[in-house]
Amino acid sequence: MRPFFFGISTPMSALDTVLATIDADRGATLDGLKEFLRIPSVSAKPEHIPDMRRCADWLAGQLMQRGLQVRIMPTRGYPVVVAQNQHIAGRPTVLYYGHYDVQPPEPLDLWKSPPFDPTVRDENGHPAIYARGAVDDKGQVWAHVQAIHAWQQAGGLPVNLTMLIEGEEEVGSENLFAFLREHRAEFKADIALISDTNQVGRGQPAITYGMRGLVYQEVFLTGPDHDLHSGGYGGSVPNPANVLCELLATLHDGDGRVNIPGFYDGVQIPAVEPMAELPFDEKAAAAELGLPFLSGEKS
């Protein structure tokens, strides 16, 4: 039986080589990840600007060692690392997105080990590496870097690959959109791959097909033109704080559905059966967060 990757038939011998390389390089993979995690690439703090550049340079060097053509491309902020293999006509093109910046590590007193000193600990029977960026997003980026290395040992990637790894995700990616508009022809692809999401559980990979986004709005409520004594006016004058609470409460109905007109236009409802098969325990998930219950749409 021959596996298929994006419509490309791949010999079992190549896949065997890939898996064997991954197993053989386990120690080197962990060492490389630790080196990646030691760089304090905190995009939100100006004092880490040199570390941000150092991290981009380090990552670019690692990708070059794996046979890719690499460029460090400037933006109005931190640079973007772009890497490609040889693109061959007729093969599908995959665009991989990741980021090399991390969140600030504060509060430091909550860390059991220093945030930029990667430490492997076995907690709850599962060994894991602890450091800032280990799961957002350096761990995932490094997994793909090592996967590329394994495929190169098997004769090369079976697809055309373009990697875009930016340095501003944790501060809103303010300069990424202008960068993409300026270079949009270079990033045309048949599929975009992002690995900055979760698994269903340990040993249970998942394909995430959608996430909640953010919409920012600023609301101004105007009340009385001077301070009022609550004893004399508390029952007769609308309290702006209460009005705001009433306004926010109307955003969802009693079943958790969003009340904003047009919000669900074009939304495809996922099939219930596959979702029901996932090993998700709602009560356990709530307990893990210290909550009595979770929320969401009842349907």
Side-chain angles (χ1 to χ4, degrees), residues 272-288:
V272 176
E273 292 78 9
M275 299 290 289
E277 294 176 2
L278 296 177
F280 176 71
D281 186 328
E282 185 171 336
K283 291 183 178 180
E288 185 178 343

Side-chain angles (χ1 to χ4, degrees), residues 22-295:
I22 290 172
D23 288 338
D25 288 351
R26 184 178 182 86
T29 296
L30 181 59
D31 291 342
L33 176 58
K34 287 182 177 180
E35 189 175 349
F36 197 8
L37 293 171
R38 288 190 185 102
I39 305 174
S41 50
V42 181
S43 54
K45 293 189 172 184
E47 60 265 33
H48 287 289
I49 290 176
D51 297 314
M52 292 294 297
R53 181 68 200 203
R54 179 161 64 95
C55 192
D57 290 341
W58 183 89
L59 181 58
Q62 294 295 319
L63 292 168
M64 290 177 64
Q65 289 178 22
R66 284 150 183 81
L68 301 185
Q69 298 176 350
V70 184
R71 291 172 292 165
I72 298 179
M73 302 181 68
T75 72
R76 294 185 182 92
Y78 296 118
V80 172
V81 178
V82 178
Q84 292 179 312
N85 66 339
Q86 181 183 3
H87 284 202
I88 299 174
R91 297 198 309 186
T93 299
V94 178
L95 173 62
Y96 170 77
Y97 166 87
H99 62 92
Y100 62 86
D101 64 321
V102 300
Q103 284 276 0
E106 289 80 6
L108 297 177
D109 60 321
L110 296 181
W111 287 84
K112 294 182 180 180
S113 55
F116 297 107
D117 182 12
T119 304
V120 177
R121 296 199 302 271
D122 192 328
E123 297 189 358
N124 301 318
H126 299 298
I129 187 167
Y130 290 84
R132 173 58 86 222
V135 295
D136 187 12
D137 179 42
K138 289 182 177 180
Q140 293 93 317
V141 170
W142 188 245
H144 286 277
V145 171
Q146 288 300 85
I148 292 168
H149 168 70
W151 275 105
Q152 299 291 50
Q153 306 310 304
L157 290 156
V159 297
N160 299 333
L161 175 67
T162 298
M163 304 183 77
L164 186 159
I165 307 174
E166 65 150 326
E168 297 185 358
E169 195 272 350
E170 299 293 4
V171 289
S173 299
E174 292 185 3
N175 295 298
L176 181 63
F177 299 102
F179 175 83
L180 289 175
R181 283 193 294 268
E182 183 179 354
H183 303 282
R184 61 186 305 167
E186 300 181 47
F187 297 105
K188 289 183 177 180
D190 298 293
I191 186 172
L193 174 64
I194 300 173
S195 297
D196 192 6
T197 50
N198 296 327
Q199 295 187 155
V200 177
R202 179 174 287 269
Q204 296 172 320
I207 297 175
T208 300
Y209 60 86
M211 297 186 71
R212 295 297 180 96
L214 295 175
V215 176
Y216 295 92
Q217 297 291 335
E218 190 171 12
V219 178
F220 293 91
L221 292 178
T222 302
D225 61 1
H226 60 278
D227 289 342
L228 300 177
H229 194 290
S230 59
Y233 295 95
S236 60
V237 175
N239 185 325
N242 291 339
V243 174
L244 179 60
C245 291
E246 293 172 3
L247 174 64
L248 295 176
T250 66
L251 293 177
H252 297 83
D253 64 18
D255 291 329
R257 285 181 59 83
V258 178
N259 271 331
I260 300 173
F263 183 84
Y264 292 95
D265 291 352
V267 174
Q268 297 182 12
I269 306 300
V272 176
E273 292 78 9
M275 299 290 289
E277 294 176 2
L278 296 177
F280 176 71
D281 186 328
E282 185 171 336
K283 291 183 178 180
E288 185 178 343
L289 300 173
L291 298 172
F293 54 82
L294 300 180
S295 63

